[in-house]
Every structure is written in structure tokens, then in C-alpha cells.
Amino acid sequence: MTTTAAIVAPILFGLALGAWASRAEVSPPASVAPAFVTDVPGIREEMLDPEYWIGRLRDDEIRMTAAEIGTFNAKNFARGEYLHDLDQFPQRLKRTRVLALLDTVSRPASTPRFHTDDSPLTPRDYAALEASTQRARIPAEVRVRWGMVVRRANMRSFPTQMRIYKNPQDTDLDRLQETGVFPGQRLALLHESADGNWWFAVNYHYAAWLPKSAVAVGDRDVIDRWSQREPRLLVTGAQVQTNFNPDDPRTSQVALDMGVSLPLLSAADVGYQVNGQNPYASYIVSLPARAADGSLEFVPTLIARSRDVHRGALAYRDSALLRQAFKFLGERYGWGHDYNGRDCTGFIGEVYKSFGILMPRNSGQQGRGGFAPTRFFGEGDEKRRRDALGSLQVGDLIYIPGHVMMYIGDVSGEPYVIHDVTGLRYYDSEKNFYSGTLSGVSVTPLKPLWLSRDKSFVDSIYAIKTIL
């Protein structure tokens, strides 16, 4: 070190140290997290962490093996109530059968409906919707075509994106919205809309209209082989995306919701470059895509290993159920999978799909169907209802009219649930009726909640189901 450098270095060090000390003297005090405040009764902040509930589990044994889940699904599909076994779906259907499926969704409402400008739907509006279905052109025998969903899309009551409401002020609930579909789901294609832009299709738990742009048409055998191919990568996060792909927009940042399952490929299959990226730090999956002519093809696509995904279905146990459910906590409520979200049964269905368990789409179908051991409660059954709440198991599904909740644990005799819910109603400590909003996936106690001033959640329970 030169003499000058030897002199300057300590000076610079001293200046730096002095500057640091000066900053330390004037730095603000450590920040304090704002107090947790909520209008939801009986909730503490730690209850919004799944580990709080996992720490309260008495045991965490496997509830069903993969083979037992396969048997469970097979029995429910065999009942034919609300699930469609596409493996056994006929290649031809009579016109009466297609019309029966169509009539479950494409029909005028029994009560008034309103446009987005608050004007009521008229007979002329319904006539136009009816004409769009061109049901008169359904032949005596329908030859089923086959397709696969290539992007998340909505299934609709009629082949239209028009939104209508039961109440002009309740614009969150589009009454033409039925459900969502996700990449990789198989479809039986039964009919086309008058404008040629929509399919009337059947998936494993629904029949409704969806845009052709979200569907690729293919050979049934090819689709079935892809659906059965192993090993598979399962999306276990609320939603993940495929890697950005500058070369093929069809596979770039594709949204994949919880429960989507895709065949895994390896570099031995596709080489050491996929869409300009080395695949070793990602999973390579076979992603369905739509060719320019609407036909189906499968494209090697990357999903980063850092994403919330898993090789195969998760082991079905209480801790995993809780962790999967809490991944949706705070997500905005989306009627029929609207708003890029889900509703109460969409939430439940996606959570259980993480374990390979498939359920009917709507709460009434789940609650009244025979897909699991069921306890029904009629009027005057208040004691049985409350007794049943004392023997709940984590993951039990609690059904009230139009809604389903998942039991997550008990605190001081109060059962708590996680559910995708819109309203918040209860009587406060001074017996005043409080009416607020949740509109999302929420953790709440069960007993304080009310459907209306005269009907509590507990008194509305008509079924409790344990998925075993």
C-alpha cells in the first residue's frame, strides 16, 4: 500500500463508519405490525394458518389408499346420478337423450332476470337465446365427437357470454354461468350453436355450452390414451402457470388450477431444449393444444420445479386436506368458477381432486347424492344435528341449502369450517343482527352463522358426509 493510500483508507473507513453511526442514530423505530381486526366472530389471526389446525390433529393416518380411491370413484360413477363415465360413454346418442341434457341448463328462468343495464329479460331475449341452441337441428341420432379442453374456460347455460342477474344489484352472480373447465379435461361433444362458435359438451360432472376456442377436437382413442398415461404431474397449488414460451403462445403461461393432471415426459423423449430452454430445472409435461384447424395435438411444455406441483396424487390424510384447502384462503368468490376463481363446490371439488377424488359439481348433487356415507336431518332434528357436530372429522363436508363447508377442527367446543362463501350474518353480543360480506374462501366458526334472521346455519344442515 502506498503512503497516500495508507492515509486515505482509514479516513474513508472512518467516514463510512461515521455515516453508518449517523444513520443508526436517526433511523426510525422498528415497525409494528398493525393490529388484527375483523368483523368475523371467533377468529384470531393464527387461525388463518393451516399449521394452527394441523397442530390440533389427534392423528394423521392415511384415510384411503390410491387403490381405495379408485374403487370409491368407480362406485360413484357407476351410480350414474351426477357423474358421467366418459370411458363408457356411448358413441351415438338418441336425440331425446341430448335434449334431456340440453334442457337441464338451456331453459328460461322461472323468476325475472335482468341485463347488465338493469333492464329485464323479455320473451324476445329468451327467443334469441333459444334460437342460438338450434335444438330443432339435433338429428334423431347424434354421433358423438370428442375433444379436450386446452385452456381454462366457462361452461354456460346458453352459447353466449352475455351476463344476466337475478337481482340488478347482485352483479357477482351471473345466472348464465354454470361451471369452469380446465386443460386436459375430456369432453364428449354433442351439438353446435347456431353461430358455430360453441360446443354443447359433456365432461365428467357437467353438460353445458363452452367456446370452441377452448377446445381441440381429436380421436377418442388418442384422448383416452393420453388421459391414462403415467406417470403424471398434478397441480397442487391454487393455480400455477406453465413457463413463458416466446415461440408458441398456446403453451406460454397457461393457467393450470388445482387438480389438473398432465403426463410427464423426460429429456430422453424430447431432448435438452424445450422451447429454447433447458428442461432440467423444470418438469416436462404433455400439454394439449389447439391447432389452427381446431384439431388436437400434444406439445412438450415446461413447468418450473419451483411451482406447487406433485408427481401423482397426494396422499389422502388430514394434514394434506388442511394444507390444500388453505391454499385458496382469501381467494375471491366466483359463482360457477367465475372471476378466475370458484364457488363453494368448486372449492371443495378442487381440494379433493388433489387426492384423485372426483365429485359431482353442485352442492345439492353432492349433498343429496349417494357418493359417500350420508346423514340426513329433517325438521325437528335439532338434537341430532348438534350431536353430529360433536363427532365431526377433519375434512367432513357439511351441507345446507345451496352451500357446502369443510370442517377443520374444534376450539373450546366450537366447530370451525373453511368455505367459499358470500355473506356474513350473525347476532352480536348485544343481540343485534349483523349483515356483512365475505365473498371469498374464509375460515369461520359454524354455530354463530345465520342464513337469515330466522334460520341459523346449524338448523339448516341437511347432510354431513365423511369422504371414506
Side-chain angles (χ1 to χ4, degrees), residues 24 92 123 162 208 218 222 249 251 320 354 376 378 395 413 419-420 438 453:
R92 294 183 178 276
M162 178 178 68
V222 171
T251 68
S354 302
F376 289 97
H419 49 146
D420 206 343
L438 288 170
R453 291 178 180 272

Side-chain angles (χ1 to χ4, degrees), residues 192-226:
E192 297 178 68
S193 62
D195 63 10
N197 294 327
W198 296 73
W199 286 114
F200 183 76
V202 176
N203 75 354
Y204 76 94
H205 66 5
Y206 221 77
W209 296 92
L210 78 163
K212 284 188 175 182
S213 59
V215 179
V217 178
D219 181 81
R220 180 178 189 172
D221 291 339
V222 171
I223 291 171
D224 288 349
R225 285 196 300 271
W226 182 93

Side-chain angles (χ1 to χ4, degrees), residues 86-87 89-91 144-148 186-189 202 215-220 223-224:
L86 295 187
D87 289 336
F89 204 82
Q91 195 56 51
V144 178
R145 301 180 69 182
W146 293 89
M148 183 167 284
R186 291 183 293 170
L187 298 168
L189 308 174
V202 176
V215 179
V217 178
D219 181 81
R220 180 178 189 172
I223 291 171
D224 288 349

Side-chain angles (χ1 to χ4, degrees), residues 329-394:
L329 186 66
E331 180 184 79
R332 177 68 182 247
Y333 179 89
W335 169 266
H337 284 100
D338 205 358
Y339 291 173
N340 196 35
R342 58 218 86 235
D343 53 21
C344 63
T345 40
F347 161 64
I348 294 296
E350 260 90 276
V351 169
Y352 273 92
K353 233 190 293 186
S354 302
F355 309 98
I357 298 169
L358 301 178
M359 293 190 176
R361 175 59 183 89
N362 294 330
S363 64
Q365 296 170 345
Q366 287 185 12
R368 302 184 192 284
F371 74 94
T374 309
R375 287 172 283 182
F376 289 97
F377 305 92
E379 293 295 328
D381 251 349
E382 289 80 4
K383 184 178 184 304
R384 288 187 61 207
R385 285 191 186 93
R386 295 180 187 277
D387 288 346
L389 295 182
S391 59
L392 291 170
Q393 301 180 51
V394 167

Side-chain angles (χ1 to χ4, degrees), residues 24 235 461:
V235 174
I461 294 171

